[in-house]
Amino acid sequence: MESITLYCRENGSDKVYQASLQPQEQGYVVNFAFGRRGSTLTTGSKTPVPVSYVVAKTAYDRLVRQKLATGYTQGPALTESLQHQPPTPTGLRCMLLNPVAEDELEDLLQDHVHWMQEKMDGRRMLLQKQGKVITSMNRLGVTFTPPETIQQSAAQSPEDFILDGEAVGDVFHVFDILSLAGEDLRQSRFATRYFQLRDFLRTFRHTHIKLVESYCAPEKEPWFQTLKEQGKEGVVFRHMDAVYTPGRPNAGGPCLKHKFYETASFVVAKNNDKRSVSLLLFEGDKIKRAGNVTIPPNHAMPKAGSVVECRYLYAFWESGSIYQPVYLGVREDIRAAECTTDQLKYKAEPTLVTV
């Protein structure tokens, strides 16, 4: 097995590129991961299926030569726990939440059975430690390579675990725990899991793993206003007795989310001129246009057919287009079929006054 880590710091950039040649099944695969240093890396493979060693070695060497020719230089070798992991379905899935209904928000802020946490604006991630092996999974349960800093912090733990949280840059913000030291905690109430998580994180150094604070009444309402004024993404309400249930309920549920601004996932229809793309959504068996969004210079242009996330103020009833869209990035962990018009929040229609 071979692996290499390359870095590029030209013209103010700070990029990392990892490549590895690994045995898989009856052959070999060449996998890669790249992105800004310290961020969650984008992963892929040069060999969609295992190939012979000669073919894989040729592809690996060619890939390394190409990167070295474009300004990358070799960095320190990766340790065993930091090897790039090929994307693999694991069977583990995140617990996904429905939004809070507007008429429920006040009750959730006042009651004593729902705990409130800040909703982080990052990439959803399950982080697992088994012996010396650190594995991360997206919301669909498919493995990907997290920042090395997060892996290094996880490796300091004296116990095996599975944690749930959001990766924001090179920090993993953890809000729940699924297992600890081989014990499955998913059927325990959330309050019990949270206190176990808090106590566990006190047992080792973890500079790049941070606990998401929980707030109970009467602290919820003032913290809600503070987070909103600070421009945070939103909050999550978790019932203190909720067990950890993978997937999303058809409606409601013991844990709910409330965003301070609107976001939605869209399918890229095509690339336009001047660094913008056209967006579309599904409505039943119909395809609906959702407008255009400009791609910032620090983002690569997404390909047609890829899923992207955008922030917006509201959508228009007539056209279905989103107003004041802001491009947030590609979402490899969301399927195109999930990009439906049900996500949208529409501009309020004017109220007719009769006299």
Side-chain angles (χ1 to χ4, degrees):
M1 199 279 295
E2 297 183 50
S3 65
I4 191 170
T5 301
L6 305 172
Y7 299 95
C8 181
R9 298 182 179 86
E10 293 184 348
N11 301 320
S13 64
D14 190 7
K15 298 181 290 186
V16 60
Y17 194 101
Q18 300 173 352
S20 65
L21 189 162
Q22 299 174 319
Q24 183 174 313
E25 298 176 356
Q26 302 302 313
Y28 294 83
V29 293
V30 177
N31 298 313
F32 61 86
F34 64 92
R36 182 175 58 83
R37 181 199 278 267
S39 69
T40 302
L41 302 182
T42 299
T43 62
S45 179
K46 291 294 182 180
T47 51
V49 297
V51 296
S52 70
Y53 175 79
V54 173
V55 173
K57 176 63 172 171
T58 300
Y60 175 79
D61 291 342
R62 182 170 59 246
L63 176 61
V64 173
R65 286 196 303 269
Q66 289 172 346
K67 292 302 172 184
L68 292 174
T70 58
Y72 281 85
T73 57
Q74 186 171 356
L78 297 177
T79 64
E80 177 187 354
S81 65
L82 301 181
Q83 299 296 344
H84 167 62
Q85 305 155 353
T88 306
T90 62
L92 282 173
R93 293 189 300 141
C94 293
M95 182 177 182
L96 304 177
L97 312 183
N98 286 314
V100 173
E102 289 297 329
D103 59 354
E104 296 177 334
L105 181 58
E106 189 61 34
D107 289 340
L108 289 168
L109 288 170
Q110 299 295 332
D111 73 25
H112 292 268
V113 296
H114 285 89
W115 295 8
M116 188 182 79
Q117 296 176 318
E118 178 185 348
K119 187 181 187 307
M120 311 304 295
D121 187 9
R123 183 175 184 177
R124 186 69 178 275
M125 186 168 84
L126 294 176
L127 185 65
Q128 181 178 38
K129 177 179 181 290
Q130 288 182 305
K132 295 183 179 180
V133 178
I134 311 298
T135 306
S136 58
M137 294 144 278
N138 63 23
R139 65 199 288 271
L140 301 177
V142 178
T143 60
F144 69 94
T145 302
E148 293 184 15
T149 51
I150 295 176
Q151 297 188 59
Q152 290 165 349
S153 286
Q156 302 304 310
S157 168
E159 302 287 355
D160 291 350
F161 60 73
I162 302 177
L163 306 179
D164 191 0
E166 295 252 352
V168 182
D170 64 347
V171 177
F172 182 52
H173 297 267
V174 57
F175 47 72
D176 207 343
I177 185 167
L178 282 66
S179 74
L180 179 61
E183 180 185 359
D184 189 341
L185 304 176
R186 287 175 289 185
Q187 294 304 307
S188 299
R189 58 201 293 262
F190 172 70
T192 301
R193 296 198 308 275
Y194 185 80
F195 286 131
Q196 285 187 263
L197 171 63
R198 181 199 63 184
D199 294 343
F200 164 59
L201 291 177
R202 292 172 176 171
T203 64
F204 66 102
R205 286 178 57 87
H206 45 82
T207 307
H208 294 272
I209 299 177
K210 296 188 180 297
L211 178 68
V212 177
E213 294 292 336
S214 288
Y215 303 102
C216 304
E219 294 181 322
K220 286 191 289 186
E221 192 157 16
W223 270 109
F224 179 90
Q225 296 301 329
T226 297
L227 294 171
K228 188 173 184 178
E229 291 168 2
Q230 291 176 347
K232 302 298 184 179
E233 185 184 20
V235 295
V236 169
F237 296 96
R238 302 184 189 276
H239 196 289
M240 60 190 300
D241 294 331
V243 298
Y244 193 97
T245 306
R248 191 191 309 275
N250 291 329
C255 302
L256 300 163
K257 61 184 178 182
H258 174 79
K259 291 185 178 182
F260 298 139
Y261 55 80
E262 302 304 321
T263 63
S265 300
F266 302 85
V267 177
V268 175
K270 64 175 182 177
N271 286 14
N272 303 320
D273 296 332
K274 298 183 179 179
R275 292 192 61 83
S276 76
V277 297
S278 296
L279 306 173
L280 62 82
L281 293 170
F282 296 104
E283 186 176 78
D285 58 355
K286 299 179 181 178
I287 296 177
K288 297 288 187 178
R289 297 185 182 277
N292 303 313
V293 65
T294 299
I295 309 302
N298 61 330
H299 285 269
M301 290 293 292
K303 297 179 181 178
S306 58
V307 175
V308 300
E309 186 164 7
C310 298
R311 185 168 62 205
Y312 65 99
L313 189 61
Y314 52 76
F316 292 103
W317 282 104
E318 299 84 2
S319 64
S321 296
I322 54 176
Y323 181 61
Q324 293 186 358
V326 176
Y327 180 77
L328 301 179
V330 174
R331 292 298 302 265
E332 296 178 345
D333 57 341
I334 294 180
R335 300 184 180 95
E338 298 179 64
C339 300
T340 66
T341 56
D342 293 340
Q343 304 173 90
L344 297 181
K345 182 176 181 179
Y346 292 92
K347 181 180 181 181
E349 294 185 305
T351 302
L352 297 178
V353 179
T354 57
V355 293

